[in-house]
Amino acid sequence: MSKISLANSLVETLPFGLTGLFNPWRDSCPHDAAGNGPAEKLGRLALHLDCDPEFILAGEAPGYAGCRYSGVAFTSERLLGEGAIPRIPVLSGRLSTRRLPLSEPSATIVWKTLYRLGIAERTILWNALQLHPHRPDNLWSNRTPTPSEISLGEPALRILIEAFPSAKIIAVGKKSEGLLHGMGIPTAGSVRHPANGGATAFAAGLEELM
């Protein structure tokens, strides 16, 4: 299966147009910069998937400063603008209409750790729920997804894991760990999510698993 076909297969499992849940690859955001619509985000996802991964890191859900505009989990506009993401060319323009490029602390921590451990080129990033959960009155907000919302990500997560049967699955955070366990998916372990003061524990946990 080509990587654009895989990306399409993943996205086709996800609902779109829901209040409080933004689908980066199907929904359009009023703060998208010109030339950064769903198709462009899908293209970046396909590029990200174009490898033979040794690891799949599954986080919780996209954030407004990350995957909502980049189309790739744990990946921000700033990192893409710096050319820091393997297989994805450096940006030639902006992803959002924000005055400064959006930067997500969790994304920065994750990629810094992947590079330090030497596995950046061999890792795919994904989320338990692939839709950005936000408050209905604020697109630039993050909220904790409900259990029923988390379950919406199960079909895509299963497709991704089946597409890379030799990859080791690592749960990043309790939400991801719970979904994978409920799906009966064996993992190589779980690590602390880097958000909310978890950076040191995330890095240490991932290094220990290596």
Side-chain angles (χ1 to χ4, degrees), residues 1 12 17 42 50 58 68 82 84 100 114 128 130 134 136-139 151-152 165 172 175 204-205 207:
M1 179 185 295
E12 284 172 0
L42 184 66
D50 192 14
R68 182 184 177 99
E82 294 172 352
L100 296 175
L114 295 179
Q130 299 89 40
H134 60 89
D137 64 338
N138 185 1
L139 301 180
S151 68
L152 294 173
V172 181
K175 295 285 193 301
E207 183 171 10

Side-chain angles (χ1 to χ4, degrees), residues 111-190:
W111 282 105
K112 180 180 179 180
T113 304
L114 295 179
Y115 276 109
R116 182 171 60 81
L117 296 176
I119 59 172
E121 296 279 356
R122 297 177 285 133
T123 300
I124 282 177
L125 303 174
W126 195 242
N127 281 302
L129 170 64
Q130 299 89 40
L131 308 174
H132 168 223
H134 60 89
R135 299 197 307 272
D137 64 338
N138 185 1
L139 301 180
W140 282 0
S141 64
N142 297 322
R143 64 174 176 82
T144 301
T146 66
S148 63
E149 288 172 340
I150 287 283
S151 68
L152 294 173
E154 181 175 334
L157 185 56
R158 196 175 293 280
I159 288 171
L160 182 70
I161 290 171
E162 289 174 353
F164 300 108
S166 63
K168 300 176 181 68
I169 316 302
I170 297 174
V172 181
K174 294 296 184 183
K175 295 285 193 301
S176 175
E177 184 180 14
L179 180 63
L180 287 163
H181 178 76
M183 293 169 61
I185 302 294
T187 69
S190 60

Side-chain angles (χ1 to χ4, degrees), residues 63-69 75-78 102-105 107 132 142:
Y64 80 87
C67 184
R68 182 184 177 99
Y69 294 96
T75 299
S76 69
E77 180 180 12
R78 181 181 65 78
L102 287 159
S103 180
E104 186 180 68
H132 168 223
N142 297 322

